[in-house]
Amino acid sequence: MIEFNFKVLKKDESTQARVGELKTWHGTVKTPMFMPVGTLATVKFISPEELTQMKAGIILSNTYHLWLRPGEAVIKAAGGLHRFMNVDRPILTDSGGFQVFSLSDFRKITESGVEFRNHLSGDLMFLTPEKSIQIQNDLGADIIMSFDECPAYPVTYEYMKDSVERTLRWAKRGKAAHQRDDQALFGIVQGGEYPDLREYSAKQTVAIGFDGYAIGGTSVGETKPVMYEMIKNSTMYLPHDKPRYLMGVGSVDAILTGIEYGVDMFDCVLPTRIARHGAAMTAKGRVNIKNKQYEMDFGPLDDQCDCYTCQNYTRAYLRHLIRSNEGLGMRLLSIHNLRYLIHLTEQARVAIENGRFKHFKETIFDELNLHDEHAKGF
């Protein structure tokens, strides 16, 4: 049987950035990498064949949403997520914790787990570390995540300290419940904006022992400088021979800063979400394709992009589709935005291999005017 394995192939001399190789049961991928999000076992508007064309490595699905529909029993009976989705590449599932804490108006946290209301039906439900792992075992992803609490921002030091301790206890329970040796289990570092809690959470999570480590609790309302400190205060205590995953981050500036601090994996719904509203990430900054200036623009969306959209369609046509609320327009912009971020991480790997990552990052920041902490990053 193929074993899950990660190795660092090249380190940048002036930063913590590194190029890695991540071996899973459904393929080997290079890092740093951006992972498209397929919440309900599908990346919105995108087929598995298109994911291959845009050179996506790992894709992500959501435990909470798949638990509610169609249910893990259906997916297990289908032979797991890979067969259910017709996907032949690695898949990562999150624990469901973030959705429990963000989607439900009612939730009650106990030592056992979290009671909450199903956001679809209103029914009371209960999710525990053991239940989260059982669902993910049934879904059959290559990489699964520990169940954690993701507190809102800001919270008091006292609350965060208690939360970190609870998350560590849940991590131990989840690891004990893990039943499959063909799935890698990642622990999650929390701690909010507090450096000592980030350090404590990281060291204690590493002490439990996982196949990789995720940085949670970022991009939840804090400023960019605070988020960057959260990342730095987490990665500096994580082992160099394990993959590091920054959860829910997809802006250009945050991805490049995360790479600078030694992060290997990123995911976010941002590129597809903004695409559905007519926004595109380009080498020259954000483009709102609905704008009048593109009505007679018959050039590509981004003349530096190699994606299917940019090779075949004009800004004028994309504007027409989006203004007409046509699904094809949303699909084409989603293809472009995903390929843009995947290509960005490909470029970052080349820059690291050539010892020029810092220069590469500064060039992108200058071109997109990302030095302002309030910049959106695209």
Side-chain angles (χ1 to χ4, degrees):
M1 178 185 291
I2 296 173
E3 293 186 0
F4 180 87
N5 180 263
F6 176 77
K7 60 181 177 181
V8 176
L9 302 178
K10 178 75 173 181
K11 295 181 180 179
D12 185 61
E13 294 182 359
S14 59
T15 70
Q16 298 301 310
R18 71 251 193 100
V19 172
E21 183 179 80
L22 183 63
K23 182 183 292 186
T24 78
W25 294 268
H26 288 89
T28 299
V29 295
K30 289 285 187 69
T31 64
M33 65 179 301
F34 178 80
M35 304 181 290
V37 177
T39 301
L40 282 162
T42 176
V43 180
K44 286 188 184 297
F45 293 115
I46 307 297
S47 71
E49 293 75 18
E50 287 164 333
L51 291 171
T52 298
Q53 188 177 43
M54 69 178 68
K55 300 179 181 178
I58 299 174
I59 61 174
L60 183 144
S61 284
N62 183 267
T63 295
Y64 169 85
H65 290 286
L66 294 176
W67 179 33
L68 300 189
R69 57 182 179 188
E72 74 273 21
V74 172
I75 295 175
K76 183 179 182 180
L81 271 176
H82 293 88
R83 291 187 180 178
F84 189 62
M85 298 170 63
N86 189 33
V87 164
D88 62 356
R89 72 193 63 253
I91 298 175
L92 181 152
T93 48
D94 61 13
S95 70
F98 178 79
Q99 287 70 33
V100 167
F101 291 104
S102 64
L103 292 179
S104 179
D105 292 330
F106 164 81
R107 57 186 173 274
K108 181 180 179 182
I109 305 171
T110 68
E111 186 62 28
S112 296
V114 184
E115 184 181 40
F116 65 98
R117 290 199 180 277
N118 180 328
H119 77 285
L120 298 174
S121 66
D123 294 340
L124 277 176
M125 303 187 74
F126 196 69
L127 188 59
T128 67
E130 293 82 2
K131 180 64 176 178
S132 173
I133 294 297
Q134 174 256 301
I135 296 168
Q136 293 183 83
N137 284 166
D138 288 346
L139 295 177
D142 299 83
I143 301 172
I144 68 175
M145 306 302 298
S146 296
F147 184 65
D148 65 324
E149 180 186 359
C150 184
Y153 176 86
V155 295
T156 65
Y157 182 91
E158 290 72 20
Y159 184 95
M160 183 59 73
K161 186 175 186 302
D162 289 342
S163 175
V164 165
E165 294 285 9
R166 184 185 305 112
T167 288
L168 289 169
R169 293 191 293 271
W170 285 354
K172 292 177 183 177
R173 287 166 51 189
K175 183 179 178 181
H178 186 31
Q179 295 294 314
R180 294 181 59 162
D181 59 7
D182 62 344
Q183 290 179 305
L185 176 61
F186 280 27
I188 302 178
V189 176
Q190 289 287 350
E193 63 185 302
Y194 304 105
D196 61 324
L197 294 183
R198 284 277 168 186
E199 177 182 357
Y200 176 76
S201 177
K203 289 181 175 179
Q204 293 300 312
T205 304
V206 170
I208 296 171
F210 291 96
D211 299 302
Y213 297 91
I215 301 157
T218 64
S219 197
V220 290
E222 75 280 5
T223 64
K224 287 287 176 67
V226 170
M227 179 173 67
Y228 296 156
E229 285 298 307
M230 290 178 177
I231 299 169
K232 183 171 67 174
N233 290 327
S234 300
T235 56
M236 65 191 301
Y237 302 108
L238 297 178
H240 291 280
D241 61 346
K242 300 290 185 180
R244 303 162 179 171
Y245 163 31
L246 180 58
M247 306 177 76
V249 170
S251 64
V252 172
D253 50 350
I255 288 175
L256 292 180
T257 302
I259 293 173
E260 182 179 12
Y261 291 149
V263 174
D264 306 298
M265 304 159 63
F266 304 84
D267 83 283
C268 194
V269 298
L270 175 69
T272 49
R273 177 175 289 168
I274 65 171
R276 297 194 294 274
H277 296 282
M281 298 171 161
T282 78
K284 296 179 181 177
R286 178 174 177 169
V287 167
N288 183 350
I289 204 66
K290 295 179 183 179
N291 287 349
K292 177 74 171 176
Q293 71 189 85
Y294 303 119
E295 182 178 22
M296 300 290 286
D297 187 339
F298 302 111
L301 181 58
D302 185 345
D303 59 14
Q304 298 183 38
C305 181
D306 63 359
C307 80
Y308 173 80
T309 301
C310 291
Q311 298 303 308
N312 292 280
Y313 297 98
T314 67
R315 290 186 176 198
Y317 183 59
L318 294 168
R319 178 179 186 270
H320 160 68
L321 292 176
I322 293 296
R323 283 174 55 82
S324 302
N325 200 34
E326 287 288 343
L328 178 59
M330 301 176 194
R331 268 178 31 80
L332 292 173
L333 286 186
S334 295
I335 288 170
H336 167 76
N337 283 349
L338 288 172
R339 177 57 191 156
Y340 176 87
L341 289 183
I342 292 168
H343 182 55
L344 179 74
T345 55
E346 290 172 350
Q347 291 176 298
R349 293 200 297 265
V350 172
I352 295 167
E353 289 168 348
N354 294 331
R356 294 177 55 83
F357 177 76
K358 196 165 188 177
H359 173 75
F360 169 73
K361 179 197 169 200
E362 288 304 309
T363 299
I364 297 293
F365 269 55
D366 288 340
E367 290 175 348
L368 299 182
N369 191 29
L370 299 179
H371 292 286
D372 180 354
E373 68 180 62
H374 301 293
K376 291 186 176 180
F378 50 84

